[in-house]
Amino acid sequence: MTRRIRAAVLERPGAGLAIEELDLADPARDEVLVRIDAAGVCHSDYHYLTGDLPSRMPLVPGHEGAGEVVAVGADVTAVRPGDVVGLMWRPRCGRCRHCLGGRPALCQSGAVHAASGGLQDGTSRLRRPDGTTVHHLMGVSCFAEYAIVSERAVVPIPPGVPADIAAITGCAVVTGVGTVLNAIGPCAGRGLVVFGAGGVGLSVVMGAVLAGAYPIVAVDMVTERLEAATRLGATHVVNAGSGDVAAALTDIDGFDYAVEAIGRPATLRQAFDALRPGGTLVAIGLGPAGQELSLPLNPLVQRERRVIGSLYGSSNPQLDVPKLLSLYQAGRLPIDQLVGTHYPLDRIDDAMTDLIGGAVGRGIIVPHQGL
C-alpha cells in the first residue's frame, strides 16, 4: 500500500527544490508514519542543496520535524497513532559500540543513512509515480506532508508543546544547548564565546545562560541576530561586519570556551585565538566536504588549548529532548524566541532564501498550511 503525498524534491545539487507528488509506502514492522506539522529550515539542508555535502539524489530534504503519528508497524511499541513526536536525524540503534558506550550521536546508523539514502535497512520508502526511487535525508525527509521514519527516530513530545517548538528542539536546540551541557559541562562563572548567532548559535547562548557561564559573547555579522542573542542572555555581542573581532574579544579578556557554529575555517581560527591558556574550542558547524582547518602548533601545545568536535550536542536525544522541553515548559528555556517565519510547503524556496539572507529565528515549514 502507498500514500500519495506532496514533498519538496531536490533533483540534483544546485537545481532548487520542486514540489512534487510522491508515493510513500506504508511503514515496515519497525517504522512509524508521521504527519508532518512543522519542519525547521536548517543550514545543513542548504549544504545538501548546494552540493557542499554529498547525498544520493533525487532527495527529499528536511531533518528537523515534528508531527502526529498516523500509523505504526507491527513491532512498534514506543508510540501509537495519535501521539505527537519529534523526529531525530541520528537514531540510536542500541547495539553498536557508540550506543553501548553512551555516545549515541555517533551511532553507526548515520553511516547507513548517508551511504544509502534510505532508512535503517538501507532502502527508501519514497517513489515517484513512474516508480523512480527518491531518497531520504538522514532517515527523516520532513519537507513533506508525511514521513516514514524508524521507531528509533521518534521521541514522544509532552502535551501542550507546539509542533514548531518540538521540531527545532530536535535539532537546533539539542545541538546548541547540548554542546554546553554535554560537550563543555560545568562552566559557571567561566567565559564563553559563540561564533554564529543562527538557530544553533542562539541555542548555545541559551545553554550558556542555563549553565551560568560568564561572560557570554555572541559574534555575528547580522545586527538583528545579535539583538536576539542579547535578549536570550548574551552579556556582550560583537558585530563581525563592522570592526576588528580579535580586538573586540581581547577587550573582553579571553575565554575558557569558544564554540564555532558556522563551519568556516576562518572563524574556527578566530575562535581558537580567542581562547585563554587551557581553553577549549568546540566545533559544531558543518561546512563543505573536504574543508580543512589549520592551527598554529606552538600555541596549541604551549598554552594547552584543546580542539574538539561535537555532533548533535553530544546528546542522547531520547533523554535530552524531553528534558529540554520540560525546561521550556517551566519557563527556563525560551525556545519560543528562536521561532521565526512560518511558510507553507509551496514557499520553501523563500524560506531558504531568507535563511541565507540572515533571517532571525528558525524558519518553519508547515506542510499542511493552506490545504
Side-chain angles (χ1 to χ4, degrees):
M1 297 291 293
T2 60
R3 173 185 296 261
R4 184 63 57 88
I5 68 168
R6 297 172 72 245
V9 179
L10 178 65
E11 182 68 28
R12 62 185 183 279
L17 292 169
I19 306 303
E20 298 186 21
E21 289 193 345
L22 301 178
D23 291 329
L24 181 66
D26 284 346
R29 299 186 68 86
D30 59 350
E31 294 173 352
V32 179
L33 171 65
V34 180
R35 169 192 156 113
I36 303 300
D37 293 327
V41 181
C42 176
H43 212 106
S44 295
D45 293 304
Y46 183 74
H47 283 313
Y48 288 99
L49 267 63
T50 61
D52 286 345
L53 293 176
S55 185
R56 300 191 68 181
M57 304 283 171
L59 168 77
V60 174
H63 63 279
E64 184 180 86
E68 181 178 326
V69 175
V70 175
V72 300
D75 295 339
V76 172
T77 59
V79 294
R80 60 186 180 182
D83 287 349
V84 178
V85 296
L87 307 181
M88 298 177 295
W89 52 266
R90 185 55 68 92
R92 59 177 302 164
C93 72
R95 300 181 299 273
C96 71
R97 61 181 296 179
H98 304 297
C99 288
L100 294 174
R103 304 182 73 183
L106 300 178
C107 177
Q108 65 185 16
S109 63
V112 174
H113 293 160
S116 68
L119 299 184
Q120 293 274 278
D121 65 357
T123 65
S124 176
R125 305 293 174 268
L126 293 162
R127 298 285 187 277
R128 283 179 167 141
D130 65 4
T132 303
T133 297
V134 177
H135 297 94
H136 300 262
L137 178 65
M138 303 185 193
V140 179
S141 290
C142 60
F143 287 166
E145 294 174 330
Y146 294 85
I148 293 285
V149 296
S150 165
E151 177 185 20
R152 300 177 184 275
V154 299
V155 56
I157 299 302
V161 174
D164 50 7
I165 297 293
I168 65 174
T169 300
C171 180
V173 176
V174 77
T175 296
V177 178
T179 294
V180 178
L181 300 185
N182 302 320
I184 291 176
C187 57
R190 306 184 74 177
L192 183 150
V193 56
V194 57
F195 285 76
V200 173
L202 292 175
S203 295
V204 171
V205 171
M206 290 196 301
V209 171
L210 196 65
Y214 183 87
I216 302 169
V217 182
V219 181
D220 202 285
M221 298 182 68
V222 180
T223 300
E224 292 78 9
R225 286 182 171 181
L226 295 174
E227 291 171 350
T230 299
R231 291 193 297 271
L232 288 169
T235 60
H236 304 72
V237 296
V238 175
N239 192 319
S242 62
D244 187 332
V245 173
L249 295 179
T250 298
D251 289 342
I252 306 174
D253 193 28
F255 300 92
D256 298 290
Y257 302 100
V259 180
E260 204 274 358
I262 303 170
R264 295 180 62 244
T267 46
L268 281 160
R269 177 60 192 272
Q270 288 180 316
F272 177 83
D273 290 341
L275 292 172
R276 290 174 174 154
T280 300
L281 165 60
V282 187
I284 64 175
L286 292 175
Q291 275 197 330
E292 295 185 358
L293 171 64
S294 177
L295 295 174
L297 176 60
N298 288 353
L300 177 68
V301 175
Q302 293 170 337
R303 299 184 183 182
E304 292 193 359
R305 292 169 172 168
R306 295 195 308 146
V307 180
I308 64 173
S310 176
L311 179 67
Y312 216 173
S314 301
S315 66
N316 183 342
Q318 291 283 7
L319 296 177
D320 290 346
V321 168
K323 177 174 66 177
L324 295 176
L325 290 174
S326 69
L327 289 168
Y328 160 73
Q329 290 183 305
R332 299 191 60 189
L333 203 61
I335 300 173
D336 55 297
Q337 293 191 37
L338 297 183
V339 177
T341 303
H342 290 66
Y343 306 84
L345 186 61
D346 291 316
R347 290 188 55 209
I348 193 165
D349 283 339
D350 293 338
M352 288 294 175
T353 298
D354 292 345
L355 170 73
I356 303 309
V360 178
R362 204 66 149 185
I364 304 291
I365 303 299
V366 186
H368 297 273
Q369 183 174 312
L371 295 182

